[in-house]
């Protein structure tokens, strides 16, 4: 049978059984739409995890000094200037971004009452900041021990939105970056509970410099020398920033370390981020680093992987349920086809008399199933996408803010479109396979006489 | 055109086996007009099904247009039904959801080549059987005689050399039946189509060239071999 003939005959037949078939394919539509929904949800959550919670950079490695183990022959080596040039010399390494921990103690004491009226006035202009929030700000009293890192400004230049991220002249406030993840948690739970304004990139320009006392601790008695008052200005949020502390330009950290902890501290780094020219180099570079006596910090990566694995498993579970729905739908497709077959027995006999071969009859039924599969699959896709859209709208409106609450909970991997259609097709075929074989095997002479 | 030798057809096996046809020997030349008569259950439909390539479970020989039907593959036999044979049934066997035109064009779907203008051909054969005005009527809107004309048009669609009609007037009143019979005779005369008609009313036929009478599966009248 010519394909063009098959297509036209299928069209004729489907038009007649529209109702029955629409009813039978409801299951396929429901199954495919829930499949699309759950896959998109899983992919959406995964995207939040991999871009916001544990941002992974495929081409970067974090090198740390080797932790000292008992029984290990090779001792740890500090990351000093020599080590940095060793890293840069490794084939495949495109850039080295050193990171320096502050080697002295620091603290801050923030009192909301110290805010100048001008500063309060400025804050009042920020959209979303209410008078009640400002009241709460005035009541803030915070004494904090401060941890600090200095990072290569190239790593975070784009994150500085409220000022320049560079070593400031003497007497100017130190520009610092805060961890995006820390701020997410503050916004989602702390600010919410205390009635404080949320910190966003929009708020930062309106935030006054905050006090910072260098070489001082509320707790430790090991501080020698006099405390040095300074100020810090939050210029941006960055995922390269220290999770529980402040992150300043590398040169500032070096300068302060030299001043408060000595010359050696100004040339000793806590870690370094290495950028490789392509991810193919990751393996060889890791090998080389271990050979040089350093370790790689994989904790972020491992955490991301295990969270990712969990999400994948949950998604898989729900997708499986969807596929079971589709599978059950296939049974109902089979049932409907058997029913139609029973009604159409005589008609199949007639088609055989007019020249249809066994293969033609089988192909006709399978082609009808394909048409149903494609239609129901497309409907399922659309319905699923619609459900995602609706859920996003509802979640955005009714779900309270929480850390890392994303704009959209859904993402659509490209394979989902052909994939969902393929599933619908395959299950419709499976459902139609037996009826098609049965139809092809009908004895035309017997069916024509109504036996 | 048709050559049968010791044709037998047995349904079932063992003690419940029924012989629908026994040792039929028959020759029907090209362009003949044959009637098949016999009591109910005598094997008339069985014979027609074999001739039409719908049933190949027979013993003996059944050659039509020079080919032994049992030796053909399913595809070849289907092509044979599509190209060489036109069937006409007592119950018309029209599809209710299709118009006269669409019903008539159904065989085109199973043709191995594309019919250049399927609708035009369908309209042409409908006009041939006198239904040029009812192209877009559905079977439900047609009388019994008109339905049978649509069925005959469908049988003519692929320009067959052989028409097999199983009691084509069985559901029609005598006057209408007579018109259908003269239509068959006209097709036989003008288009040289070989016609084999199963009937209970062979007295209505004027130009029969070949008579077959069956009784209990046996041939009791007609040219034996
Ligand atoms: N598919 C079948 N299975 C079993 N027996 C069959 C089958 N087809 C026909 N028969 C039997 O074969 C015999 C001949 O049947 P057939 O239909 O050829 O008779 P017929 O002459 O056409 O009768 P009628 O005038 O009633 O149509 C009958 O006894 C019938 O019961
Ligand atoms: Mg009969």
């Amino acid at each position: 049978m010519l394909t063009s003939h098959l297509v036209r005959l299928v069209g004729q037949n489907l038009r007649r059984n529209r109702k029955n078939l629409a009813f039978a394919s409801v299951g396929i539509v429901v199954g495919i739409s829930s499949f699309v929904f759950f896959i998109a949800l899983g992919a959406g959550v995964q995207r939040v995890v991999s871009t916001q919670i544990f941002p992974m950079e495929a081409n970067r490695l974090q090198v740390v000094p080797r932790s000292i183990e008992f029984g290990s022959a090779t001792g740890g080596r500090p990351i000093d200037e020599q080590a940095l040039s060793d890293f840069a010399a490794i084939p495949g390494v495109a850039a080295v971004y050193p990171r320096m921990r502050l080697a002295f103690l620091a603290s801050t004491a923030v009192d909301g009452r110290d805010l100048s009226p001008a500063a309060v006035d400025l804050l009042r202009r920020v959209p979303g900041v209410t008078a009640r929030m400002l009241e709460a700000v005035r009541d803030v009293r915070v004494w904090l021990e401060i941890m600090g890192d200095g990072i290569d400004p190239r790593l975070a230049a784009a994150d500085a939105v409220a000022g320049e991220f560079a070593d400031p002249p003497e007497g100017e406030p130190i520009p610092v970056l805060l961890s995006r993840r820390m701020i997410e948690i503050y916004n989602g739970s702390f600010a919410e509970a205390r009635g404080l304004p949320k910190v966003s990139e929009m708020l930062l320009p309106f935030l006054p410099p905050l006090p910072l006392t260098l070489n001082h601790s509320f707790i430790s008695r090991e501080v020698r020398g006099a405390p040095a008052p300074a100020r810090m200005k939050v210029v941006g949020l960055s995922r390269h920033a220290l999770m529980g502390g402040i992150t300043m330009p590398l040169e500032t950290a070096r300068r302060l370390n030299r001043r408060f902890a000595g010359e050696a501290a100004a040339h000793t780094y806590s870690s370094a981020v290495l950028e490789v020219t392509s991810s193919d180099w990751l393996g060889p570079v890791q090998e080389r680093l271990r050979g040089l006596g350093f370790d790689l910090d994989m904790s972020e990566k491992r955490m991301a992987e295990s969270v990712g694995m969990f999400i994948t498993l949950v998604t898989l579970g729900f997708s499986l349920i969807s596929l079971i729905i589709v599978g059950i739908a296939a049974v109902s497709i089979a049932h409907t086809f058997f029913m139609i077959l029973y009604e159409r027995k005589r008609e199949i006999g007639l088609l055989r008399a007019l020249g249809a071969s066994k293969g033609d009859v089988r192909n006709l039924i399978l082609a009808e199933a394909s048409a149903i599969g494609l239609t129901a699959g497309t409907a399922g896709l659309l319905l699923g996408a619609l459900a995602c859209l609706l859920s996003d709208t509802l979640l955005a409106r009714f779900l309270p803010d929480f850390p890392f609450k994303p704009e959209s909970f859904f993402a659509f991997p490209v394979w989902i479109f052909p994939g969902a259609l393929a599933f619908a097709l395959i299950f419709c075929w499976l459902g139609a396979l037996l009826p098609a074989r049965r139809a092809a095997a009908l004895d035309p002479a017997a069916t024509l006489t109504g036996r | 055109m048709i050559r049968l030798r010791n044709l037998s057809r047995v349904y079932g096996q063992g003690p419940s086996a029924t012989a629908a046809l026994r040792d039929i020997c028959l020759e029907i030349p090209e362009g003949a007009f044959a009637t098949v008569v016999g009591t109910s259950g005598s094997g008339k439909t069985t014979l027609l099904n074999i001739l039409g390539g719908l049933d190949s479970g027979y013993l003996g020989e059944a050659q039509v247009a020079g080919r032994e039907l049992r030796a053909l593959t399913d595809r070849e036999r289907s092509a044979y039904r599509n190209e060489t044979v036109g069937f006409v049934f007592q119950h018309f066997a029209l599809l209710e959801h299709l118009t006269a035109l669409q019903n008539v064009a159904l065989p085109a779907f199973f043709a191995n080549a594309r019919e250049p203008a399927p609708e035009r051909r369908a309209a042409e054969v409908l006009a041939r059987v006198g239904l040029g005005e009812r192209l877009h009527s559905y079977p439900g809107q047609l009388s019994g005689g008109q339905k049978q004309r649509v069925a005959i048009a469908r049988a003519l669609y692929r320009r067959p050399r052989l028409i097999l009609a199983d009691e084509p007037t069985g559901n029609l009143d005598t006057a209408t039946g007579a018109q259908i019979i003269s239509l068959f005779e006209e097709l036989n005369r003008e288009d040289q189509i070989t016609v084999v008609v199963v009937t209970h009313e062979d007295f209505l036929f004027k130009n029969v060239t070949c008579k077959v009478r069956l009784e209990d599966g046996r041939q009791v009248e007609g040219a034996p071999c």
Side-chain angles (χ1 to χ4, degrees):
Chain A
M1 200 172 179
L2 299 179
T3 316
S4 59
H5 287 164
L6 183 65
V7 170
R8 284 187 40 220
L9 193 55
V10 166
Q12 266 185 11
N13 281 342
L14 289 181
R15 240 166 283 149
R16 176 179 30 156
N17 286 311
R18 240 176 317 197
K19 253 201 215 141
N20 276 341
L21 294 172
F23 194 70
S25 50
V26 164
I28 300 276
V29 175
V30 170
I32 292 296
S33 59
S34 67
F35 176 76
V36 168
F37 182 85
F38 289 123
I39 292 284
L41 181 60
V45 175
Q46 195 96 53
R47 182 184 55 191
V48 175
V49 170
S50 63
T51 61
Q52 294 181 42
I53 305 182
F54 301 110
M56 290 232 281
E57 286 154 315
N59 288 356
R60 287 186 177 167
L61 289 167
Q62 193 173 6
V63 195
V64 292
R66 176 163 293 168
S67 50
I68 295 152
E69 291 166 42
F70 289 106
S72 89
T74 50
R77 215 185 124 180
I79 302 179
D80 50 19
E81 303 295 349
Q82 177 59 45
L84 290 185
S85 56
D86 285 352
F87 297 159
I90 298 174
V93 170
V96 178
Y97 303 105
R99 186 173 193 118
M100 185 179 280
R101 174 73 28 105
L102 292 186
F104 56 92
L105 297 173
S107 71
T108 183
V110 177
D111 189 330
R113 288 168 298 188
D114 293 345
L115 270 179
S116 68
V120 175
D121 209 43
L122 211 55
L123 276 176
R124 189 169 287 136
R125 294 193 203 151
V126 182
V129 174
T130 62
R132 284 188 73 138
M133 284 179 183
L134 289 176
E135 295 272 313
V137 167
R138 294 201 71 93
D139 289 339
V140 167
R141 319 260 184 286
V142 177
W143 290 268
L144 267 182
E145 296 284 303
I146 292 281
M147 303 269 285
D149 266 7
I151 62 168
D152 194 316
R154 285 175 300 164
L155 263 186
D159 294 327
V161 292
E164 207 191 346
F165 188 64
D167 190 24
E170 195 58 49
E172 287 297 305
I174 300 170
V176 299
L177 298 170
L178 296 181
S179 154
R180 222 174 249 292
R181 208 191 300 176
M182 179 174 76
I183 292 303
E184 268 296 336
I185 292 168
Y186 162 83
N187 283 344
S189 46
F190 197 81
E192 193 87 4
R194 307 289 146 105
L196 288 165
K198 292 188 179 168
V199 175
S200 68
E201 268 142 353
M202 203 170 57
L203 177 91
L204 294 182
F206 300 91
L207 215 59
L210 300 169
L212 174 69
T213 313
L214 304 170
N215 202 33
H216 172 263
S217 169
F218 295 113
I219 306 162
S220 175
R221 291 171 198 287
E222 287 186 14
V223 179
R224 257 158 288 164
R231 285 177 308 152
M232 58 183 167
K233 165 86 179 118
V234 181
V235 296
L237 307 179
S238 172
R239 54 202 172 91
H240 297 288
L242 193 62
M243 173 71 185
I246 57 173
T247 302
M248 59 186 67
L250 184 66
E251 286 317 311
T252 314
R254 194 194 302 283
R255 187 161 55 76
L256 297 176
N257 269 354
R258 184 178 288 131
R259 180 167 152 202
F260 296 108
E263 192 57 33
H267 297 288
T268 307
Y269 302 90
S270 50
S271 66
V273 169
L274 266 54
E275 198 168 86
V276 292
T277 45
S278 84
S279 52
D280 298 338
W281 281 105
L282 284 175
V285 170
Q286 284 182 27
E287 278 298 297
R288 191 77 194 87
L289 286 168
R290 293 219 170 83
L292 285 172
F294 295 95
D295 268 349
L296 291 146
D297 184 359
M298 302 284 227
S299 56
E300 287 269 293
K301 204 171 168 173
R302 269 195 218 108
M303 193 101 88
E305 274 169 6
S306 57
V307 173
M309 180 64 86
F310 173 75
I311 295 168
T312 305
L313 282 178
V314 172
T315 309
L316 222 62
F318 279 113
S319 316
L320 209 66
I321 294 175
S322 317
L323 289 188
I324 290 173
I325 298 177
V326 180
I328 294 170
V331 175
S332 101
I333 292 272
H335 179 78
T336 308
F337 268 112
F338 274 124
M339 225 167 65
I340 292 175
L341 204 67
Y342 186 77
E343 288 169 7
R344 291 210 312 215
K345 249 183 174 172
R346 271 192 115 102
E347 179 182 328
I348 289 168
L350 172 71
L351 296 186
R352 292 296 302 276
L354 297 182
S357 66
K358 288 182 186 182
D360 290 341
V361 171
R362 191 192 50 229
N363 290 346
L364 180 62
I365 298 207
L366 288 180
E368 287 180 21
S370 315
I372 295 167
L374 280 181
T375 319
T378 310
L381 260 175
L382 292 180
L383 201 69
L386 210 70
C388 294
L389 215 71
L390 197 72
S391 309
D392 258 348
T393 322
L394 291 181
L395 288 172
R397 176 160 330 152
F398 296 113
L399 213 61
D401 248 0
F402 57 86
F404 303 109
K405 185 179 174 185
E407 294 258 309
S408 168
F409 285 84
F410 301 93
F412 296 91
V414 262
W415 64 263
I416 201 167
F417 301 104
L421 285 186
F423 274 132
L425 258 183
I426 288 169
F427 279 98
C428 277
W429 271 335
L430 285 180
L433 212 56
L434 271 182
R437 282 180 54 174
R438 182 80 60 84
L442 283 176
D443 174 0
T447 47
L448 270 170
T449 50
R451 275 176 197 277
Chain B
M1 181 78 199
I2 296 171
R3 218 174 96 99
L4 307 179
R5 291 228 178 282
N6 302 102
L7 179 76
S8 299
R9 179 66 168 102
V10 181
Y11 288 109
Q13 283 174 341
S16 67
T18 38
L21 292 174
R22 310 171 202 232
D23 284 326
I24 307 288
C25 289
L26 198 63
E27 285 202 35
I28 298 175
E30 177 107 48
F33 195 108
T35 54
V36 181
V37 293
T39 52
S40 181
S42 56
K44 306 182 294 293
T45 299
T46 305
L47 179 65
L48 232 53
N49 285 342
I50 291 170
L51 293 179
L54 282 171
D55 178 1
S56 52
Y58 56 85
L59 300 170
E61 293 173 21
Q63 287 177 13
V64 183
R67 283 177 296 187
E68 172 59 52
L69 296 179
R70 196 177 37 212
L72 303 181
T73 64
D74 179 63
R75 286 190 82 134
E76 288 167 338
R77 221 176 359 257
S78 302
Y80 161 77
R81 289 194 299 269
N82 185 250
E83 291 159 6
T84 311
V85 186
F87 287 95
V88 178
F89 307 96
Q90 179 179 354
H91 297 283
F92 321 128
L94 299 177
L95 301 187
E96 298 292 325
H97 66 287
L98 300 181
T99 62
L101 205 70
Q102 290 171 321
N103 264 294
V104 170
L106 266 179
F109 286 120
F110 309 108
N112 286 324
R114 203 187 302 271
E115 172 80 40
E119 308 250 301
R120 179 132 48 86
R121 171 69 185 153
E124 188 181 303
V125 279
L126 275 167
R128 177 81 176 82
V129 299
L131 279 181
E133 310 291 300
R134 306 301 301 266
L135 304 184
H136 302 290
S137 303
Y138 286 89
Q141 302 165 325
L142 298 174
S143 72
Q146 288 171 325
K147 284 187 204 175
Q148 198 57 300
R149 282 171 195 273
V150 174
I152 293 169
R154 181 180 62 196
L156 291 174
Y157 183 89
R158 296 277 293 146
R159 303 175 181 84
R161 290 167 61 191
L162 173 65
I163 284 186
L164 301 172
D166 196 348
E167 301 189 39
T169 57
N171 271 19
L172 303 175
D173 60 70
T174 318
T176 317
Q179 288 172 0
I180 294 295
I181 287 168
S182 57
L183 179 55
F184 279 120
E185 289 178 331
E186 194 184 311
L187 293 172
N188 173 246
R189 197 174 52 240
E190 293 175 5
D191 298 359
Q192 282 78 48
I193 299 172
T194 310
V195 179
V196 180
V197 186
V198 169
T199 182
H200 290 295
E201 309 161 309
D202 61 331
F203 51 87
L204 288 174
F205 291 80
K206 298 181 198 81
N207 303 318
V208 176
T209 59
C210 192
K211 273 190 183 180
V212 182
R213 180 177 292 276
L214 295 178
E215 239 168 60
D216 201 15
R218 259 184 266 272
Q219 183 182 355
V220 294
E221 194 187 321
C225 27

